[in-house]
Amino acid sequence: MRVVLAEDSLLLREGLVRLLEETGAEVVAAVGDGPSLVEAVAAHRPDVAVVDVRMPPTFTDEGLRAALRIRREVPGTAILVLSQYVEESYAGDLLADGGGVGYLLKDRVSRLDELSDALTRVAAGGTVLDSEVVSALFTRRRDDPLAALTPREREVLALMAEGRRNTAIGRTLSLTQGTIEKHISAIFDKLALPPSDDDHRRVLAVLTWLRTNP
């Protein structure tokens, strides 16, 4: 099994390379940031990309965003997120993208055979999730009215909340008016805002955004 590893800490990266090799994997590249991960996957076409979540420059969700980009640009690449944190912002989108995905917490992988099993399962198209990850994602979806929105729909709604018209949103995001209208229609549907003569759906959607992002 060929693996590309992304981990910003040099010591952890070297340690993970050794652990992965002990599972029988061939680590064809080990990098420290999201863009380098995407480049390495495109160059080496591994079976699995093992990804940390928080990497330079902002140490927030670069790993997950890079993983989503890999799924778009190098289809068929399995992703195993191996992190100390449950980062919810893009995790749901990655998991909703289909099989061949795993999300495990580093501190809870206590045996080498667990790591080996996770690699094998995601490479075969399966899904491997830590129970804490599942719990966090379900809690978020239950409490957050915006949880069903995609990252792009959130961007559109945020610009709507700034008072931007569709033309300005399109210029800001470099999208056509038709695409913007489709995103807004999807936002209304996901927020359960049907057409009404009494309520302005755009205002109600913005109010939902403002309540969730005070």
Side-chain angles (χ1 to χ4, degrees):
M1 183 187 304
R2 301 173 73 252
V3 173
V4 166
L5 169 67
E7 165 61 61
D8 69 284
S9 167
L10 176 61
L11 290 177
L12 284 177
R13 187 162 67 241
E14 293 301 317
L16 283 170
V17 167
R18 288 195 293 271
L19 283 175
L20 290 166
E21 289 176 342
E22 286 185 36
T23 68
E26 177 190 1
V27 181
V28 295
V31 300
D33 59 73
S36 297
L37 169 63
V38 176
E39 292 175 4
V41 168
H44 294 282
R45 304 282 167 155
D47 301 298
V48 184
V50 177
V51 184
D52 189 16
V53 170
R54 299 184 179 182
M55 292 190 290
T58 68
F59 294 94
T60 54
D61 53 16
E62 286 81 3
L64 289 175
R65 286 190 281 117
L68 284 168
R69 183 178 166 191
I70 288 168
R71 299 285 276 193
R72 291 194 304 269
E73 298 181 5
V74 192
T77 305
I79 304 290
L80 177 60
V81 178
L82 195 60
S83 179
Q84 290 177 298
Y85 312 96
V86 181
E87 175 53 59
E88 303 163 17
S89 59
Y90 290 90
D93 299 290
L94 179 62
L95 295 171
D97 194 43
V101 177
Y103 196 135
L104 299 178
L105 299 182
K106 292 176 182 175
D107 294 342
R108 291 163 63 87
V109 180
S110 58
R111 299 194 310 272
L112 193 61
D113 60 341
E114 291 178 349
L115 180 58
S116 177
D117 178 65
L119 284 169
T120 301
R121 288 166 62 188
V122 297
T127 301
V128 180
L129 295 177
D130 188 287
S131 59
E132 286 192 15
V133 175
V134 174
S135 176
L137 291 175
F138 270 105
T139 299
R140 175 175 179 261
R141 289 192 176 276
R142 185 170 59 247
D143 297 340
D144 183 1
L146 305 178
L149 301 187
T150 66
R152 177 64 83 188
E153 288 163 359
R154 283 173 174 262
E155 288 179 320
V156 170
L157 183 53
L159 291 170
M160 288 167 59
E162 293 176 8
R164 308 285 185 91
R165 295 182 180 276
N166 289 6
T167 52
I169 295 173
R171 285 196 301 270
T172 301
L173 300 179
S174 300
L175 298 174
T176 67
Q177 287 306 292
T179 300
I180 294 298
E181 289 170 3
K182 287 180 182 178
H183 283 312
I184 293 175
S185 177
I187 290 168
F188 291 156
D189 288 342
K190 291 178 180 180
L191 296 183
L193 297 173
S196 169
D197 294 332
D198 299 322
D199 299 313
H200 196 302
R201 292 193 294 172
R202 196 178 184 99
V203 172
L204 292 175
V206 165
L207 288 173
T208 301
W209 172 267
L210 294 175
R211 283 195 296 267
T212 311
N213 297 272

